[in-house]
């Protein structure tokens, strides 16, 4: 039962070839490059969406922080499209892999911290000690702040992995339960099916929200450091 | 848990780095948001000198006193 439940999270390889590479690169095919002055509907809609997101996200940053605009919009679109594609049946969702999320979180977080250290050394070191702490508490508080700084990338990665994995697992379990209940008691199966539909709607929301939260937190760390 | 099988981690991370930092950014940096076209206002930048605001016949070159 355990093997069956987690089998959708195994990195797909076909006869030894890692086709996970193709799966991760697939969402880029869904964003066509604009080549005209007035583009087709798909490209125009995506450009409009990108502008909406950019205006909302980049408003709170200084000009130095706004140089990260391309990175942040790519991040939110990549995570959002990957999560949404993972809701298709029998598909593999790359964001369930802890490796990929760690690979996204650690370099981006490290980038924001190093930017802060290079350009505003005193201010970024001052983040380790909140204002107005009593003098005897200072050593302990510095330790706590350091730990909370280093846990930021881990939290980013594990949050995304756990949310998406948990949602997919729940859908597997409830779907399997609904299927097994059809022969036993159709009304219970119907109730379970309705729960499954509600869960799928929730998963759509979670897919988008997780992308947003990831990007928002990276943007917040950036704001602290620029 | 299959996510903790580290044999596939290198491939996944490399594919993600390729996609996120190169492929997707190549798509998004082509997005351009031009300003809506609007006509330029016509405004003359040269101001007529005081003796040109009012043309009088005596300023025509052939009627000036010959030097």
């Amino acid at each position: 039962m355990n093997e069956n439940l987690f089998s959708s999270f195994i990195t797909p390889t076909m006869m030894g070839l890692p086709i996970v590479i193709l799966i991760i690169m697939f969402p880029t095919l869904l964003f066509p490059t604009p080549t005209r002055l007035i583009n087709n509907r798909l490209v125009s809609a995506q450009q409009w969406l990108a502008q909406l997101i950019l205006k909302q996200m980049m408003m709170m940053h200084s000009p130095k922080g706004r140089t990260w605009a391309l990175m942040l919009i790519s991040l939110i679109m990549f995570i959002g499209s990957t999560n949404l594609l993972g809701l298709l049946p029998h598909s593999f969702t790359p964001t369930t892999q802890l490796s990929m999320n760690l690979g996204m979180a650690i370099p981006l977080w490290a980038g924001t911290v190093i930017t802060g250290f290079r350009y505003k050394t005193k201010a970024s070191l001052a983040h380790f000690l909140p204002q107005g702490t009593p003098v005897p508490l200072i050593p302990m508080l510095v330790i706590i702040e350091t730990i909370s700084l280093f846990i930021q990338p881990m939290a980013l990665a594990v949050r995304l992995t756990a949310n998406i994995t948990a949602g997919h697992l729940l859908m597997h379990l409830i779907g399997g339960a609904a299927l097994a209940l059809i022969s036993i008691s159709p009304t219970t199966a119907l109730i379970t099916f309705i729960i499954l539909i509600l869960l799928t709607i929730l998963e759509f929301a979670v897919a988008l929200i997780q992308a947003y939260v990831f990007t928002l937190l990276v943007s917040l760390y950036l704001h602290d450091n620029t | 848990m299959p996510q903790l099988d580290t044999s596939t981690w290198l491939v996944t991370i490399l594919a993600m780095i390729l996609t996120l930092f190169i492929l997707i950014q190549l798509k998004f940096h082509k997005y351009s948001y031009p300003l809506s076209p609007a006509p330029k206002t016509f405004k003359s930048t040269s101001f007529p000198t005081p003796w040109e605001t009012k043309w009088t016949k005596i300023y025509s070159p052939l009627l000036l006193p010959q030097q």
Side-chain angles (χ1 to χ4, degrees), chain A:
Chain A
M1 161 72 169
N2 268 346
E3 200 45 61
N4 219 351
L5 193 59
F6 283 103
S7 60
S8 61
F9 300 119
I10 301 175
T11 335
T13 50
M14 194 154 68
M15 300 190 293
L17 292 171
I19 54 175
V20 61
I21 299 180
L22 295 174
I23 297 177
I24 292 181
M25 296 207 284
F26 179 66
T28 56
L29 287 177
L30 303 174
F31 294 103
T33 321
T35 48
R36 301 272 186 275
L37 186 64
I38 309 287
N39 294 296
N40 58 25
R41 263 181 287 221
L42 179 65
V43 174
S44 299
Q46 286 172 353
Q47 273 192 303
W48 168 82
L49 186 67
Q51 190 176 32
L52 189 74
I53 296 173
L54 274 171
K55 272 177 144 168
Q56 173 68 26
M57 263 198 320
M58 290 291 136
M59 235 183 344
M60 67 168 184
H61 285 124
S62 61
K64 179 127 192 71
R66 286 188 190 156
T67 52
W68 280 59
L70 181 61
M71 184 71 240
L72 291 177
I73 189 74
S74 310
L75 188 67
I76 192 171
M77 289 305 208
F78 177 64
I79 301 182
S81 57
T82 311
N83 288 348
L84 285 172
L85 280 174
L87 290 170
L88 296 168
H90 295 287
S91 63
F92 170 71
T93 321
T95 38
T96 55
Q97 301 302 305
L98 189 61
S99 52
M100 179 168 120
N101 297 337
L102 278 173
M104 284 197 288
I106 294 181
L108 289 169
W109 165 85
T112 61
V113 168
I114 291 175
T115 315
F117 268 12
R118 280 180 70 188
Y119 294 105
K120 285 168 48 169
T121 319
K122 269 194 291 188
S124 64
L125 280 174
H127 279 129
F128 284 123
L129 195 63
Q131 253 182 343
T133 57
V135 177
L137 280 177
I138 287 179
M140 195 185 68
L141 214 52
V142 171
I143 295 175
I144 291 177
E145 291 287 326
T146 315
I147 296 175
S148 87
L149 179 74
F150 281 98
I151 226 171
Q152 281 174 349
M154 302 298 151
L156 270 177
V158 173
R159 182 187 300 113
L160 184 58
T161 313
N163 269 298
I164 308 295
T165 312
H168 284 8
L169 271 177
L170 263 180
M171 285 204 285
H172 274 248
L173 283 170
I174 294 184
L179 199 62
L181 279 171
I182 285 177
S183 48
I184 300 173
S185 141
T187 28
T188 326
L190 188 64
I191 296 173
T192 321
F193 187 66
I194 292 175
I195 296 178
L196 185 63
I197 292 180
L198 292 175
L199 194 59
T200 313
I201 297 174
L202 175 68
E203 284 308 309
F204 271 99
V206 167
L208 298 170
I209 290 171
Q210 286 303 316
Y212 172 66
V213 166
F214 197 102
T215 314
L216 188 70
L217 284 171
V218 171
S219 150
L220 210 66
Y221 302 150
L222 184 67
H223 187 65
D224 278 345
N225 285 313
T226 46

